[in-house]
């Protein structure tokens, strides 16, 4: 099964991708990870991507699509995969189609901006060991202190309210139109964000007929 996970930043795509990967026995392909791997392995497309990143520029779509096509041709993807973080725009979705990459289902995790603001503003990360917490959902035993190593818990710049607002705006302008794009192809499966991670996973598996 070839899947795409869509959803606003903070909708829980990474968490759900991890769970679905185990459940469906298919790999999760995260754009960020394969970009880093391609650069580290020095593949031709990786080197091309690196030259843009070194210059502080965004990696162009054709390079990203090239890296994804390379990755999807690997042996572990032959029974399917979950794409997380791509396509981000209609142009990328069209480029994937032109490269002959087809999807069985595009799962869109539906969650309100308010819920995301609340979720992101409560996230804290340990400065020392990188452990994640949430002031409401997964609070540390002692406020501001990591349970694992006693390090200081901080809010990442990415999770600051003004950054979250800006990221949501980009999502609504650039990525949300993909829902109509994939609906017109008959593969969009909207799933309401549930009260727990497990319940959301169950809802996704239901719409996938599992």
């Amino acid at each position: 099964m070839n899947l795409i996970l869509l959803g606003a930043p903070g909708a829980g795509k990474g968490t759900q991708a991890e769970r679905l990967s185990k459940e469906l026995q298919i790999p999760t392909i995260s754009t960020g990870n394969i970009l880093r791997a391609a650069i580290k392995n020095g593949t031709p497309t990786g080197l091309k991507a690196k030259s843009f990143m070194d210059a502080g520029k965004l990696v162009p779509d054709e390079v990203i699509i090239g890296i994804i096509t390379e990755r999807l041709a690997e042996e572990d993807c032959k029974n399917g995969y979950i794409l997380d973080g791509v396509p981000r725009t209609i142009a990328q979705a069209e480029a994937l189609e032109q490269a002959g990459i087809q999807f069985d289902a595009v799962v869109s995790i539906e969650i309100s901006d308010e819920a995301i603001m609340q979720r992101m503003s409560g996230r804290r990360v340990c400065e020392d060991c990188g452990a994640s917490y949430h002031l409401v959902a997964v609070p540390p035993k002692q406020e501001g202190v990591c349970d694992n190593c006693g390090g200081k818990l901080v809010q990442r710049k990415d999770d600051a309210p003004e950054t979250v607002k800006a990221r949501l705006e980009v999502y609504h302008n650039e990525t949300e139109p993909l829902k109509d794009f994939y609906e017109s192809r008959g593969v969009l499966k909207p799933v309401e964000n549930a009260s727990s991670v497990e319940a959301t996973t169950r809802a996704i598996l239901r719409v996938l007929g599992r």
Side-chain angles (χ1 to χ4, degrees), residues 125-143:
V125 185
C126 173
E127 259 183 344
D128 299 331
C129 75
S132 297
Y133 294 88
H134 191 280
L135 301 184
V136 181
V138 193
K141 291 192 181 82
Q142 189 186 338
E143 197 182 331

Side-chain angles (χ1 to χ4, degrees), residues 39 64 69 86 132 163 167 178:
I39 291 167
I64 296 225
T69 311
V86 83
S132 297
T163 315
R167 289 171 69 199
L178 284 169

Side-chain angles (χ1 to χ4, degrees), residues 3-197:
L3 297 180
I4 295 177
L5 277 186
L6 282 183
K13 297 186 297 297
T15 306
Q16 292 302 333
E18 221 170 276
R19 294 173 66 87
L20 292 168
S21 171
K22 286 194 187 109
E23 188 71 40
L24 302 170
Q25 302 278 294
I26 52 177
T28 293
I29 312 296
S30 142
T31 330
N33 291 351
I34 58 173
L35 204 52
R36 283 188 287 276
I39 291 167
K40 190 169 154 229
N41 299 334
T43 70
T45 332
L47 293 172
K48 211 182 277 183
K50 188 176 186 303
S51 66
F52 286 101
M53 287 159 86
D54 288 349
K57 293 179 181 156
L58 278 178
V59 181
D61 283 356
E62 66 268 19
V63 178
I64 296 225
I65 302 301
I67 284 179
I68 287 167
T69 311
E70 269 175 18
R71 177 66 185 87
L72 298 186
E74 288 179 27
E75 186 61 20
D76 63 341
C77 289
K78 72 175 194 300
N79 294 325
Y81 47 80
I82 301 162
L83 267 193
D84 170 22
V86 83
R88 280 183 193 276
T89 59
I90 298 276
Q92 285 184 354
E94 288 172 341
L96 285 169
E97 273 190 359
Q98 278 154 13
I101 297 167
Q102 298 291 329
F103 299 98
D104 300 306
V106 176
V107 173
S108 170
I109 301 172
E110 303 294 326
I111 178 170
S112 70
D113 284 8
E114 293 72 37
I116 284 180
M117 293 295 290
Q118 225 171 355
R119 183 182 281 186
M120 305 280 261
S121 65
R123 288 211 290 208
R124 296 291 182 273
V125 185
C126 173
E127 259 183 344
D128 299 331
C129 75
S132 297
Y133 294 88
H134 191 280
L135 301 184
V136 181
V138 193
K141 291 192 181 82
Q142 189 186 338
E143 197 182 331
V145 180
C146 175
D147 295 351
N148 299 344
C149 73
K152 182 181 169 201
L153 298 184
V154 294
Q155 184 175 49
R156 289 186 333 181
K157 249 216 306 275
D158 264 7
D159 295 336
E162 54 281 9
T163 315
V164 175
K165 252 192 207 127
R167 289 171 69 199
L168 282 170
E169 212 165 294
V170 170
Y171 167 76
H172 292 308
N173 292 336
E174 292 184 8
T175 307
E176 204 162 25
L178 284 169
K179 294 202 302 203
D180 289 341
F181 179 88
Y182 284 115
E183 186 163 34
S184 71
R185 279 147 181 78
V187 289
L188 186 74
K189 314 267 185 203
V191 171
E192 287 299 325
N193 176 62
S195 55
S196 71
V197 169

